[in-house]
Amino acid sequence: MIRNRETLYLQQPEDEIDDGIGIVMPILMECDVDEDFSTGMEQTGDVLPILTLRNMVLFPGVAMPVVIGRASSMRLVREAAHRKTMIGVVCQKNNEPEAPDLSDLYPIGSIAEILRVLEMPDGRTTVILQGKKRFVLHELIETEPYLIGRISQLNDIFMRKNDREFEALISTIKDLTVKMLTISGEPPRDLIFSIRNNQNSLYLINFSCCNLLSNTSEKQELLSIDNLKERAYQLLFILNREYQLIELKASIQMKTHEDINQQQKEYFLQQQMKAIQEELGGNINDIEIKEFREKAAKKKWSKAVLEVFEKELDKLERIHPQSPDYSMQSQYVQTILTLPWNEYSKDNFNLKRAQTILNRDHYGMEKVKDRIIEHLAVLKLKKDMRSPILCLYGPPGVGKTSLGKSIAEALNRKYVRISLGGLHDEAEIRGHRRTYIGAMAGRIIQSLQKAGASNPVFVLDEIDKVGNDFKGDPASALLEVLDPEQNIAFHDNYLDIDFDLSKVLFIATANNLNSISQPLLDRMELIEVNGYIIEEKIEIAIKHLIPKLSESHGLPKNQVKFQRATIQKIIESYTRESGVRELEKKIAKVMRRVARRLASDEETPGMITPDDLKEFLGVAEYTLDRYQGNQYAGVVTGLAWTAAGGEILFVESSLSKGKGSKLTITGNLGDVMKESAVLALEYVHAHAEQFGIKEELFEHWNVHVHVPEGAIPKDGPSAGITMVTSLVSTFTQRKVKQNLAMTGEITLRGKVLPVGGIKEKILAAKRAGIKEIILSAENRKDLEEIKPVYLDGLTFHHVDDMMEVIRLALLDEHVENPVQFLKTGD
């Protein structure tokens, strides 16, 4: 066993951390030749208390001091020392767990004896352990009050005596160990003497293994090798590699010595230059330069950024403060300093909290909320991910912009917003070059300075309203910002240093995608934010708008209450929108009237009823479009999409005697809608025989197609099947089916094509009392994405051909007073 004479060599730990996380030099013990360290192991059973270490691997025969910090480890050591029992020592794979399980531990460890327990002056406890024999840990059978595991002992395979190769191997290991100690500094002589004269090969190999500067996994690999010769070969390989690294470091230090002398020379010259400038009347602002250097010392920037900063700061020191260039240079240095280089706010991965915040602030918007929660889930699992570029598009007032604040709060990120509406100068995005007077960074870099973090939620508002002129095209400049492959190195003309935007969560908002260039659209993930139905608007008003407006108008809580019928009447009679912005204005108007009465000590209504609205808001501004019946031939109800939501649209057609083949189109229609009318007439003419229309009618009667509300511009192809149905009804004088509406595009062959805005059109149909809707068969997929509550009470007919539309839409019954040509047969 261990002799009484022992030589202790302890290094100061590199890290003051508990349970062996620090790197501590093992104690060099003097041992006899081929001394058996496993004496007494036959009395050790297969169940042992387990002490877990961090960054330390204990080898048999080696004594090592370990700083104990965990309460469970302290209790284990004290009980084992008191009972004088052996313990099992294993190393953790991961340093983070305070209470590791079997998967967190390496399976191979060493049985150890506690030689001494030392109470240190600083209050910590250090225990000196000596490894005895290797073992394999099979399972942990107890975890409280400390770990107890089931083990089985492992035997080392020794070499036969007089193995010349093994002797040479041991000698080489000794020489390399001494060289490494010597090149790092002047080690104690008795340490070198002990290494050279120690004849215990097992101990020398294990001692050198403990002294390796390599990582824990390599030491653990050495411990797991049974054959002593194989372990020595693997150790020699690592020692050679480490020795070469040490030599390379020493060589680099010698080469850089002359560079340091050159830097000192430059420093003295700069000091002389400063003294000369002061003699000439100059006054370098040393305080400002000193502040810049102090701030720079705290930054986390890369080497390239540091080099640019030092270069620009040196330039600033050489400029006279009275020079015009001084303020420009100082502003540039401050820009570099205030940017959040590699500074990130920590994301909150609590998905339930994020869902609660999003539901609290916004009603509906399920697609957007699901996308944000999915992004959080991926971040939580992967820990690192390029943020997506989201584009929320939809009608005004549905909450696209305000959603950014809720997302920032849910992610625990900073929030910044820039409005792109009317932006027409490329320099607003990329910044001005520093050659111009008054140059400054672009709005992207400026917003990041305000945020103070490199991963904020960045809202690009009204991206569809970006303009362009002779100053450049900002939309093209945004391509670099919104491309995940390019924004990892975004280049601002003023900053002139690449900045990483890949961690920024960009959220763009738009009302109309048609005005956004296709390359820019390809870089964004499009999420449609639809308008609200009446029921949703009522809930938003009760839960969000009324409480917020009561507070902002200084009214006591619950001072003003609205009946649900009152809110519904405001929505139907005083607003016409998809969002709730106009609704908020109308409720605010009511609040102002109530506040005036309250401030004048007049009586205020406790509950606002529908009858009170005329007094507060005046006469109703809008009337809902209602279905007008089928008493006239040629009047067909279509469905249209507008920026304010869906609406029903009436298409009327009539015949008048004339020379024929004349088509008149009125109603402020766009080119596409006019082409649909021409196409509809040609289709009806081509299939006149199938519809039962005489050819003579086209020669002696002129056709007039009109879409009411001529003051409102209308365009788009979705009224194609409506126009065909209207014309067939006019030519045949057949009635149109009651409570029926339709939407779809047609081709010259009579093929019914799909159209967009289905949800808004369905809501408009429900408001107008429509019961049946004809759609293209390809629009069936759009219905699957709409909540069933929107579809309740409606019957849908999906068609592929125009003939199916006519069969569904027109009845065999004729109108009561058909035009003259049907009576006479002319």
Side-chain angles (χ1 to χ4, degrees):
M1 287 302 293
I2 305 299
R3 295 182 175 179
N4 290 329
R5 48 197 176 91
E6 55 186 25
T7 310
L8 280 74
Y9 296 100
L10 296 178
Q11 279 186 334
Q12 181 67 22
E14 292 184 4
D15 302 307
E16 300 294 340
I17 315 175
D18 65 330
D19 288 22
I21 298 182
I23 302 172
V24 182
M25 178 76 78
I27 300 173
L28 180 62
M29 316 295 294
E30 296 185 1
C31 308
D32 292 330
V33 179
D34 296 330
E35 182 177 2
D36 184 8
F37 301 111
S38 61
T39 304
M41 288 297 100
E42 62 278 356
Q43 298 177 1
T44 302
D46 60 350
V47 175
L48 280 180
I50 303 299
L51 176 66
T52 60
L53 304 182
R54 293 164 167 158
N55 284 349
M56 295 179 65
V57 179
L58 180 64
F59 283 78
V62 179
M64 181 179 290
V66 176
V67 179
I68 301 297
R70 287 181 277 202
S72 57
S73 302
M74 186 75 73
R75 182 168 180 178
L76 184 153
V77 167
R78 294 190 186 282
E79 290 186 7
H82 179 71
R83 299 173 184 172
K84 297 184 178 180
T85 57
M86 299 289 181
I87 64 172
V89 179
V90 293
C91 180
Q92 290 184 207
K93 296 178 183 176
N94 185 359
N95 292 335
E96 293 182 2
E98 286 294 322
D101 55 20
L102 189 63
S103 62
D104 296 323
L105 305 175
Y106 285 106
I108 307 296
S110 295
I111 299 173
E113 178 186 2
I114 299 175
L115 299 181
R116 191 176 302 171
V117 178
L118 304 173
E119 299 295 338
M120 307 303 288
D122 58 1
R124 296 185 302 174
T125 299
T126 300
V127 59
I128 299 178
L129 303 174
Q130 185 191 19
K132 289 294 186 178
K133 192 172 185 179
R134 297 180 305 120
F135 70 86
V136 58
L137 177 63
H138 298 294
E139 61 175 332
L140 294 176
I141 57 178
E142 288 186 26
T143 58
E144 294 296 338
Y146 44 75
L147 300 181
I148 297 178
R150 192 177 305 281
I151 68 162
S152 58
Q153 298 182 20
L154 299 175
N155 294 317
D156 289 315
I157 301 175
F158 291 88
M159 299 298 99
R160 59 181 177 81
K161 291 185 177 181
N162 301 323
D163 186 334
R164 305 296 294 172
E165 181 183 355
F166 184 68
E167 291 177 3
L169 196 58
I170 295 299
S171 178
T172 307
I173 289 173
K174 286 182 180 180
D175 293 341
L176 268 178
T177 303
V178 171
K179 282 182 179 180
M180 289 179 67
L181 291 171
T182 305
I183 202 171
S184 301
E186 188 64 32
R189 293 183 179 180
D190 48 353
L191 173 61
I192 302 297
F193 179 81
S194 300
I195 291 174
R196 292 194 181 280
N197 293 281
N198 199 310
Q199 300 300 315
N200 189 318
S201 56
L202 173 62
Y203 178 73
L204 277 169
I205 292 172
N206 288 348
F207 178 78
S208 295
C209 289
C210 274
N211 271 291
L212 285 175
L213 299 177
S214 59
N215 54 45
T216 306
S217 59
E218 284 189 335
K219 292 183 180 180
Q220 192 67 37
E221 183 181 351
L222 289 168
L223 183 64
S224 63
I225 299 174
D226 297 330
N227 190 297
L228 197 60
K229 190 173 184 180
E230 291 180 9
R231 191 186 303 170
Y233 266 116
Q234 182 66 19
L235 171 63
L236 185 59
F237 172 79
I238 298 173
L239 281 173
N240 272 311
R241 185 193 68 198
E242 297 297 329
Y243 181 67
Q244 289 174 10
L245 283 174
I246 292 175
E247 280 190 321
L248 185 60
K249 289 179 182 178
S251 174
I252 292 172
Q253 287 178 352
M254 290 297 294
K255 290 178 181 178
T256 56
H257 181 68
E258 293 182 1
D259 295 339
I260 293 173
N261 290 337
Q262 180 65 26
Q263 290 175 4
Q264 290 176 343
K265 180 180 177 181
E266 291 176 357
Y267 172 76
F268 288 127
L269 289 174
Q270 288 176 357
Q271 293 300 316
Q272 289 177 355
M273 185 185 297
K274 187 183 296 185
I276 293 171
Q277 287 177 336
E278 289 178 354
E279 287 294 328
L280 293 173
N283 183 20
I284 301 295
N285 196 337
D286 293 332
I287 297 177
E288 186 177 20
I289 300 295
K290 183 179 179 182
E291 288 178 356
F292 288 163
R293 294 198 183 278
E294 289 175 354
K295 291 179 181 178
K298 301 175 184 178
K299 303 299 287 187
K300 302 176 182 177
W301 45 32
S302 63
K303 183 179 178 182
V305 179
L306 178 61
E307 289 177 355
V308 173
F309 174 78
E310 290 291 347
K311 178 182 175 183
E312 297 296 332
L313 192 61
D314 291 343
K315 189 186 297 184
L316 179 65
E317 281 187 294
R318 292 192 294 269
I319 300 176
H320 195 282
Q322 303 300 324
S323 171
D325 293 337
Y326 184 84
S327 60
M328 296 171 60
Q329 185 68 16
S330 176
Q331 179 185 349
Y332 179 68
V333 171
Q334 287 179 6
T335 301
I336 299 178
L337 273 175
T338 52
L339 276 173
W341 302 94
N342 299 319
E343 296 176 16
Y344 304 101
S345 57
K346 187 176 181 181
D347 289 329
N348 190 331
F349 297 121
N350 190 332
L351 302 185
K352 291 183 179 178
R353 173 181 173 274
Q355 188 74 59
T356 302
I357 292 173
L358 293 174
N359 290 337
R360 179 198 69 193
D361 295 343
H362 291 83
Y363 191 86
M365 295 189 180
E366 303 304 329
K367 282 187 181 179
V368 187
K369 294 176 183 177
D370 289 344
R371 183 64 186 84
I372 299 304
I373 298 299
E374 288 168 5
H375 176 61
L376 256 182
V378 175
L379 275 177
K380 183 176 183 179
L381 296 177
K382 195 180 178 186
K383 300 289 194 297
D384 180 29
M385 175 187 172
R386 289 185 184 179
S387 292
I389 314 295
L390 305 180
C391 179
L392 310 179
Y393 70 96
V398 294
K400 301 184 296 297
T401 303
S402 60
L403 189 67
K405 285 188 177 180
S406 302
I407 293 173
E409 184 181 353
L411 294 173
N412 196 29
R413 290 190 180 187
K414 302 289 185 179
Y415 169 78
V416 291
R417 170 188 167 273
I418 62 173
S419 177
L420 301 178
L423 192 73
H424 53 79
D425 188 354
E426 178 190 346
E428 291 285 332
I429 304 297
R430 283 209 183 109
H432 307 80
R433 298 191 182 279
R434 291 168 59 199
T435 52
Y436 298 106
I437 295 175
M440 63 175 60
R443 295 175 69 177
I444 302 294
I445 295 298
Q446 289 181 30
S447 298
L448 288 173
Q449 286 178 291
K450 294 176 184 176
S454 294
N455 62 337
V457 173
F458 207 125
V459 175
L460 300 171
D461 215 5
E462 309 292 355
I463 198 171
D464 57 328
K465 298 175 181 61
V466 175
N468 61 342
D469 60 8
F470 65 93
K471 296 180 181 178
D473 184 5
S476 299
L478 284 171
L479 295 179
E480 182 184 6
V481 177
L482 300 181
D483 191 339
E485 298 300 325
Q486 298 182 42
N487 65 12
I488 193 171
F490 171 68
H491 187 84
D492 185 274
N493 290 330
Y494 178 79
L495 185 63
D496 206 23
I497 309 172
D498 290 342
F499 195 90
D500 184 7
L501 299 178
S502 62
K503 301 296 189 298
V504 178
L505 177 56
F506 285 104
I507 300 176
T509 69
N511 298 128
N512 186 10
L513 297 182
N514 295 330
S515 58
I516 304 177
S517 65
Q518 190 60 42
L520 193 56
L521 276 178
D522 289 342
R523 285 160 170 79
M524 299 186 291
E525 182 179 342
L526 302 178
I527 301 176
E528 184 177 8
V529 183
N530 295 312
Y532 301 112
I533 62 173
I534 292 178
E535 290 78 5
E536 290 177 334
K537 289 184 179 181
I538 293 173
E539 292 297 326
I540 292 171
I542 293 173
K543 294 180 179 178
H544 300 283
L545 300 183
I546 294 175
K548 182 181 79 172
L549 292 171
S550 293
E551 183 180 353
S552 63
H553 285 79
L555 296 173
K557 191 175 182 181
N558 297 325
Q559 173 72 31
V560 183
K561 295 183 180 179
F562 288 76
Q563 292 181 357
R564 296 181 73 90
T566 306
I567 301 173
Q568 182 171 347
K569 187 173 181 181
I570 295 176
I571 295 168
E572 293 177 347
S573 302
Y574 294 90
T575 66
R576 179 169 286 184
E577 58 176 349
S578 286
V580 292
R581 190 169 289 151
E582 191 67 25
L583 174 61
E584 183 177 4
K585 292 178 183 176
K586 297 301 180 185
I587 296 176
K589 188 173 182 180
V590 176
M591 295 289 185
R592 288 195 299 273
R593 296 292 177 91
V594 174
R596 178 178 177 179
R597 290 187 179 184
L598 191 63
S600 303
D601 296 326
E602 299 178 11
E603 185 180 353
T604 59
M607 179 72 70
I608 307 296
T609 64
D611 296 333
D612 297 329
L613 292 180
K614 187 173 182 180
E615 177 187 354
F616 287 107
L617 299 178
V619 179
E621 300 175 19
Y622 304 101
T623 56
L624 282 176
D625 293 327
R626 305 301 300 177
Y627 176 69
Q628 297 178 357
N630 65 343
Q631 301 304 314
Y632 300 94
V635 180
V636 183
T637 306
L639 299 173
W641 179 93
T642 70
E647 292 183 359
I648 65 170
L649 194 72
F650 297 104
V651 176
E652 304 174 350
S653 60
S654 65
L655 301 177
S656 60
K657 279 195 174 184
K659 293 185 179 181
S661 301
K662 181 181 177 183
L663 174 64
T664 304
I665 305 170
T666 57
N668 200 354
L669 308 183
D671 291 338
V672 176
M673 213 162 180
K674 289 179 180 177
E675 290 175 359
S676 293
V678 175
L679 181 61
L681 181 59
E682 290 299 324
Y683 176 79
V684 173
H685 195 170
H687 298 79
E689 185 176 347
Q690 299 178 44
F691 295 132
I693 303 172
K694 295 180 181 180
E695 182 66 29
E696 293 81 6
L697 296 178
F698 295 96
E699 298 176 4
H700 302 292
W701 295 81
N702 293 329
V703 180
H704 186 166
V705 177
H706 176 66
V707 182
E709 297 187 42
I712 301 175
K714 308 170 205 58
D715 201 5
S718 61
I721 66 172
T722 313
M723 290 181 172
V724 173
T725 306
S726 175
L727 289 172
V728 174
S729 174
T730 299
F731 276 110
T732 62
Q733 293 294 289
R734 291 165 62 185
K735 282 188 175 184
V736 180
K737 192 174 183 180
Q738 279 194 338
N739 299 313
L740 176 77
M742 60 187 70
T743 182
E745 185 180 358
I746 61 164
T747 67
L748 201 56
R749 297 175 288 111
K751 177 77 174 173
V752 180
L753 301 179
V755 292
I758 296 300
K759 179 184 175 183
E760 286 80 2
K761 292 177 180 179
I762 289 174
L763 296 182
K766 288 191 71 173
R767 288 197 302 266
I770 299 297
K771 303 297 182 185
E772 298 182 55
I773 298 177
I774 297 177
L775 299 170
S776 169
E778 295 182 36
N779 279 125
R780 191 189 303 271
K781 63 181 183 298
D782 297 308
L783 298 182
E784 296 174 358
E785 298 181 0
I786 300 175
K787 292 181 179 180
V789 65
Y790 299 158
L791 310 178
D792 189 33
L794 294 174
T795 302
F796 295 92
H797 302 283
H798 298 279
V799 297
D800 287 310
D801 189 81
M802 192 63 218
M803 290 298 179
E804 298 178 55
V805 178
I806 300 300
R807 283 195 293 271
L808 289 167
L810 297 186
L811 305 175
D812 293 333
E813 179 184 357
H814 293 275
V815 296
E816 294 181 1
N817 298 307
V819 295
Q820 188 66 24
F821 70 82
L822 281 182
K823 294 180 180 179
T824 62
D826 291 343

